[in-house]
Structure formats: structure tokens, C-alpha cells
């Protein structure tokens, strides 16, 4: 199994890194911002830098969609995992078209309100993970894993 872990640097990247017991023995690659925290944390990992800032940016969406198309066709992941933010959207939609399974983990600090990325990817994911039981009111098909932190 090959895994793509995609997300913004900072908290989103930390969130994904905390899943290390799952991904550490799998073929994998990362897509995140080319920032110091990401370069430090992923120094021995295969990483594709994505365009940022992504927040509600049409330019970033277009650039990252092209990146997603090229990376996904090259790497052919079986599974794509993300906890956000916007860079996940093109990877999820194109990944779905290319046959990858999708897992989205809604961020820990959302207790009763959806994130924009969560709302956009919810309809197409294979599993939607939340960390608070209250979030199942927002995402009825979600699975509550409890806190990853």
C-alpha cells in the first residue's frame, strides 16, 4: 500500500505526523508547504512542496490542482489522508478520479462547526474522522476516533 499524506504545514502537518504508527511501515510521500517546520519534520521523507498561501485562493487552487494531477499520476497512491487545509481539496478530488481511497480527519479544534475543507471533501471521502462526538451532528456519516493528540 502506498499512502499520500497531504496538508498544510503547522498544525495540520503535526496532526498527520501523529499517525506515524499507521504510516511508518508503508510506502508514502507527503505534500505540504515548503516551510522550515515541514522541512525539519520531514527531512528523511519524500515530500512534494505545494503552493501557498492557499486560504480561499483561486490561484493556489489552480496551481495545486496541476501539482496534484502530476504527483498522483506519478506516485499512484492507494490511500490519501489529510486533516486539511485547502491543499487537500485537489488531491482528494483527483485522487478519487484515479481510484485512491480517501480519509479525511477533521481538525481537533473543531467541536461543533465544519471547516470549509471538511465541507468540500465530505461528500466524496471513504472515511471521515472526527475527534469529538458533537461533530457527528455536523457530519452524520463520520467516525469518532476521539483525540489523536
Amino acid at each position: 500500500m502506498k499512502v499520500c499524506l497531504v496538508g498544510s504545514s503547522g498544525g495540520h502537518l503535526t496532526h498527520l505526523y501523529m499517525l506515524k504508527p499507521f504510516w511508518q511501515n508503508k510506502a508514502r510521500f507527503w505534500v505540504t508547504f515548503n516551510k522550515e517546520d515541514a522541512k525539519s519534520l520531514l527531512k528523511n521523507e519524500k515530500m512534494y512542496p505545494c503552493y501557498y498561501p492557499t486560504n480561499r485562493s483561486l490561484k493556489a487552487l489552480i496551481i495545486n490542482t496541476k501539482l496534484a494531477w502530476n504527483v498522483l499520476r506519478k506516485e499512484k497512491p492507494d490511500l490519501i489522508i489529510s486533516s486539511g487545509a485547502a491543499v487537500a481539496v485537489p488531491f482528494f478530488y483527483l485522487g478519487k478520479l484515479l481510484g485512491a481511497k480517501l480519509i479525511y480527519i477533521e481538525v481537533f479544534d473543531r467541536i461543533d462547526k465544519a471547516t470549509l475543507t471538511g465541507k468540500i471533501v465530505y461528500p466524496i471521502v471513504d472515511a471521515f474522522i472526527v475527534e469529538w462526538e458533537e461533530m457527528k451532528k455536523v457530519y452524520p456519516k463520520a467516525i469518532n476516533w476521539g483525540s489523536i493528540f
Side-chain angles (χ1 to χ4, degrees), residues 3-149:
V3 180
C4 169
L5 297 123
V6 58
S8 306
S9 61
H12 295 286
L13 179 61
T14 301
H15 214 185
L16 293 173
Y17 200 83
M18 292 180 81
L19 301 173
K20 188 173 184 176
F22 169 76
W23 56 254
Q24 68 184 346
N25 295 321
K26 294 176 177 54
R28 65 191 172 272
F29 64 95
W30 299 77
V31 178
T32 190
F33 301 164
N34 193 22
K35 290 186 164 185
E36 287 307 314
D37 65 326
K39 288 191 276 190
S40 174
L41 188 64
L42 303 175
K43 66 182 171 210
N44 297 317
E45 297 285 324
K46 185 178 210 176
M47 184 189 97
Y48 292 93
C50 62
Y51 183 84
Y52 68 93
T54 56
N55 297 13
R56 293 170 176 75
S57 166
L58 183 57
K59 178 181 179 182
L61 178 62
I62 291 167
I63 292 169
N64 287 330
T65 297
K66 183 177 185 220
L67 174 70
W69 179 251
N70 293 333
V71 169
L72 294 174
R73 285 183 36 233
K74 175 183 176 186
E75 294 287 347
K76 298 176 177 52
D78 302 294
L79 175 63
I80 303 172
I81 303 173
S82 184
S83 62
V87 68
V89 173
F91 278 84
F92 270 41
Y93 275 84
L94 291 174
K96 188 73 162 183
L97 285 174
L98 295 171
K101 297 292 183 191
L102 310 174
I103 298 175
Y104 187 80
I105 304 167
E106 187 64 284
V107 291
F108 179 76
D109 63 347
R110 288 301 176 117
I111 299 171
D112 59 5
K113 185 178 175 191
T115 59
L116 180 57
T117 303
K119 286 190 267 189
I120 292 170
V121 302
Y122 181 72
I124 65 162
V125 297
D126 296 289
F128 196 97
I129 309 298
V130 294
E131 299 181 62
W132 297 95
E133 191 61 30
E134 293 88 341
M135 287 301 284
K136 291 190 73 176
K137 293 175 187 163
V138 178
Y139 301 111
K141 298 182 291 182
I143 301 161
N144 179 10
W145 266 3
S147 175
I148 292 172
F149 285 100

